[in-house]
């Protein structure tokens, strides 16, 4: 018999956009996991801690050091369960939760839909390492800035009337500024030469602020983004002129559908996505790292088209007996997530889930009781919880935990 609750140790990757050393929540949580060999280096940028069984950065069983996937393979019925194994036709975790600590803009990106992903995976398996789509959610742990989806068309059309942006409009103007016009604009901005992008950014910064209407942040943010990458980075124009700029607070969450354009800018977040690592990048990264502009713009989706539509509000979670856990349920996705928030002395019981869960504690202290056993909870403690397991969470010191699950 395998234990239904398995404490894990996870690893961080070191992308250049990550927060440095102890400023990175991803790294400090990793460091707080007991019994790991992780040594935090104060000069290294730590971007993402991955909690799952994706082969690029897998999780390990804390007590034995075994790869978690090996344990799932030995005990699929107890841990994954028949429902999830049948639904996805495998005994892997169908989702991949991460902690991200973002110091500067991530590459401007989209995650291809299932059809394109399997095509790309067949052609270039080294770059596109699976055939799956990757809808994702991002849940703010504090202040979080992101570019996400497109602004409403009328709004973009108004900005495109600014003289420095005229060059990116189609030569033959249609009476309506529609999604096809927007596609042309995005493509023209991404294909523009370094020099053209730099000159456009300079010209935008020279315009009186009032000309930007409600978007006065645009001229202010050009120097900030230029410092992170370069004034010639094509991502700057696309992000500032065409995309929604969101400033989220702790507990807010956004949802990115397959083929949805996004670039996270700053903050600590919990991210969860379908089991995939496929991405097309175009801006906020060196030219050599960019995928073809044609491919990027051909699979762009034009929803969401409004900042409000990017938001994923929390719902009440029926399995939370004391109502201390809220549910985040993205549409068309393989996973859900619940966030548990307990004050000193409070508790919550989560009813059985018909599939595997992965929980991370980000703050506080307490206990988790399941199957008659008690486990200590503290920041940086990560657990796999096998299917069909009721758990009780108790806080001795205000506790925050996030749990991804599928069923
Ligand atoms: Zn993404």
């Amino acid at each position: 018999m395998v234990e239904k609750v398995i404490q894990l140790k996870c690893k961080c990757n070191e992308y250049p956009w990550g927060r440095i050393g102890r400023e990175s929540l991803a790294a400090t949580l990793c460091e707080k996991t007991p019994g790991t060999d992780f040594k935090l280096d104060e000069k290294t940028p730590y971007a993402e801690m991955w909690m799952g069984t994706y082969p690029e950065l897998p999780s390990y069983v804390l007590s034995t050091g075994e790869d978690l996937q090996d344990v799932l393979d030995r005990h699929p019925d107890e841990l994954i369960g028949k429902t999830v194994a049948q639904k996805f036709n495998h005994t892997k975790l169908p989702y991949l939760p991460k902690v991200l600590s973002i110091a500067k803009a991530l590459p401007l990106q989209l995650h291809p839909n299932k059809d394109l992903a399997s095509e790309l995976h067949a052609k270039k398996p080294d770059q596109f390492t699976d055939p799956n789509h990757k809808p994702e959610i991002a849940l703010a742990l504090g202040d979080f800035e992101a570019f996400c989806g497109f602004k409403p068309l009328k709004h973009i059309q108004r900005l495109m009337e600014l003289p420095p942006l005229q060059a990116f409009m189609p030569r033959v103007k249609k009476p309506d500024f529609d999604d096809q016009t927007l596609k042309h604009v995005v493509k023209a901005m991404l294909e523009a030469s370094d020099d053209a992008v730099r000159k456009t950014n300079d010209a935008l910064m020279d315009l009186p602020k009032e000309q930007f209407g409600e978007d006065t942040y645009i001229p202010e943010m050009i120097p900030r983004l230029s410092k992170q990458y370069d004034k010639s980075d094509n991502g700057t124009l696309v992000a500032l002129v065409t995309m929604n700029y969101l400033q989220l607070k702790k507990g807010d969450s956004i949802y990115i559908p397959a083929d949805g354009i996004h670039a996270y800018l700053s903050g600590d977040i919990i991210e969860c996505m379908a089991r995939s690592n496929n991405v097309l990048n175009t801006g906020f990264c060196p030219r050599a790292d960019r995928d073809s502009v044609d491919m990027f713009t051909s699979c762009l989706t034009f929803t969401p088209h409004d900042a409000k539509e990017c938001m994923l509000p929390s719902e009440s979670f029926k399995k939370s007996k004391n109502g201390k856990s809220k549910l985040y349920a993205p549409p068309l996705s393989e996973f859900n997530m619940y966030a548990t928030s307990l004050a000193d002395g409070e508790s919550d019981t989560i009813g059985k889930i018909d599939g595997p869960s992965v929980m991370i504690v980000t703050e506080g202290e307490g206990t988790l009781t399941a199957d008659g056993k008690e486990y200590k909870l503290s920041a940086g403690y990560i657990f796999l919880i096998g299917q069909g397991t009721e758990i009780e969470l108790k806080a001795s010191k205000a506790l925050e935990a996030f749990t991804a699950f599928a069923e």
Side-chain angles (χ1 to χ4, degrees):
M1 262 272 292
V2 63
E3 281 201 33
K4 287 285 204 166
V5 177
I6 300 175
Q7 191 168 357
L8 304 176
K9 57 175 174 177
C10 302
K11 287 186 175 167
C12 280
N13 57 31
E14 299 169 4
Y15 299 145
W17 51 257
R19 288 187 164 164
I20 309 286
R22 268 194 187 80
E23 284 169 22
S24 168
L25 180 69
T28 53
L29 289 174
C30 232
E31 191 184 36
K32 284 175 184 162
T33 310
T36 66
D37 43 13
F38 178 72
K39 292 266 177 299
L40 192 152
D41 175 70
E42 280 296 359
K43 292 201 179 78
T44 301
Y46 294 103
E48 309 177 326
M49 173 165 69
W50 290 23
M51 299 165 282
T53 54
Y54 201 84
E56 202 173 301
L57 206 61
S59 304
Y60 298 89
V61 176
L62 188 66
S63 58
T64 63
E66 253 181 307
D67 190 319
L68 175 61
Q69 187 59 55
D70 293 340
V71 181
L72 298 180
D73 288 341
R74 276 206 310 278
H75 306 282
D77 290 353
E78 296 96 320
L79 299 175
I80 301 285
K82 289 202 168 62
T83 306
V84 167
Q86 272 165 15
K87 188 167 166 188
F88 298 101
N89 213 7
H90 60 62
T91 55
K92 299 172 179 125
L93 295 173
Y95 48 74
L96 178 58
K98 302 177 180 177
V99 176
L100 267 62
S101 292
I102 305 159
K104 62 176 192 173
L106 271 69
L108 184 66
Q109 59 188 256
L110 64 78
H111 307 295
N113 62 55
K114 275 186 187 164
D115 288 346
L116 180 64
S118 43
E119 196 183 302
L120 292 170
H121 177 59
K123 270 194 226 156
K124 292 185 186 172
D126 291 344
Q127 187 186 350
F128 302 97
T129 47
D130 61 78
N132 202 11
H133 68 166
K134 189 187 162 192
E136 66 187 26
I137 62 170
L139 225 149
L141 295 175
D143 290 347
F144 169 46
E145 294 172 286
F147 298 106
C148 171
F150 292 106
K151 291 171 180 161
L153 285 167
K154 285 224 158 57
H155 192 146
I156 303 171
Q157 181 179 20
R158 219 163 45 232
L159 286 170
M160 289 306 295
E161 280 162 15
L162 295 171
L165 297 174
Q166 286 295 304
F168 303 100
M169 286 292 284
R171 219 166 279 156
V172 183
K173 280 188 189 133
K174 288 195 273 181
D176 290 329
F177 189 103
D178 57 11
D179 283 340
Q180 282 310 310
T181 320
L182 175 57
K183 194 171 187 168
H184 176 101
V185 166
V186 171
K187 194 159 182 250
M189 286 175 169
L190 291 174
E191 282 173 342
S193 68
D194 285 6
D195 197 41
V197 176
R198 199 177 293 118
K199 280 185 178 146
T200 307
N201 278 324
D202 281 335
L204 288 172
M205 280 162 64
D206 283 345
L207 291 178
K209 251 192 196 172
E210 308 79 69
Q211 296 206 12
F212 292 91
E214 60 199 277
D215 291 331
T216 47
Y217 68 87
I218 292 179
E220 287 161 12
M221 213 179 271
I222 292 170
R224 179 175 164 197
L225 292 172
S226 303
K227 221 163 95 190
Q228 295 184 357
Y229 292 92
D230 192 84
K231 208 181 268 175
S232 65
D233 193 293
N234 304 60
T236 315
L237 289 175
V238 175
L240 293 177
V241 177
T242 71
M243 294 171 67
N244 298 303
Y245 167 58
L246 304 177
Q247 290 173 296
L248 304 180
K249 295 280 172 212
K250 185 176 177 176
D252 289 343
S253 173
I254 53 175
Y255 165 66
I256 316 283
D259 297 331
I261 191 167
H262 58 289
Y264 302 152
L265 185 56
S266 78
D268 292 318
I269 60 172
I270 298 279
E271 199 185 38
C272 191
M273 60 207 62
R275 182 190 175 79
S276 171
N277 195 31
N278 291 324
V279 62
L280 298 177
N281 292 327
T282 64
F284 300 141
C285 58
R287 273 189 189 273
D289 295 350
R290 297 183 196 170
D291 293 293
S292 111
V293 170
D294 274 338
M295 184 156 69
F296 188 90
T297 46
S298 70
C299 58
L300 258 189
T301 176
F302 294 96
T303 47
H305 234 319
D306 195 329
K308 281 188 289 259
E309 290 168 33
C310 300
M311 304 301 292
L312 178 72
S314 63
E315 308 164 28
S316 72
F317 184 32
K318 288 192 188 74
K319 296 195 181 184
S320 159
K321 305 255 158 86
N322 298 345
K324 302 292 178 190
S325 303
K326 290 184 295 185
L327 180 70
Y328 295 86
L332 300 172
S333 184
E334 281 98 327
F335 63 88
N336 288 325
M337 179 158 249
Y338 66 86
T340 307
S341 191
L342 300 173
D344 293 12
E346 285 185 342
S347 69
D348 200 6
T349 297
I350 309 295
K352 289 179 183 180
I353 289 175
D354 195 12
S357 308
V358 170
M359 171 182 291
I360 175 156
V361 179
T362 55
E363 275 177 54
E365 305 267 335
T367 54
L368 182 164
T369 311
D371 246 10
K373 284 194 178 165
E374 192 177 277
Y375 304 82
K376 182 179 182 243
L377 297 181
S378 184
Y381 284 41
I382 303 156
F383 299 90
L384 174 92
I385 300 157
Q387 63 81 23
T389 311
E390 182 176 280
I391 59 168
E392 191 194 14
L393 302 166
K394 261 191 196 151
S396 50
K397 195 174 133 201
L399 186 110
E400 304 268 347
F402 299 87
T403 308
F405 66 97
E407 61 180 350

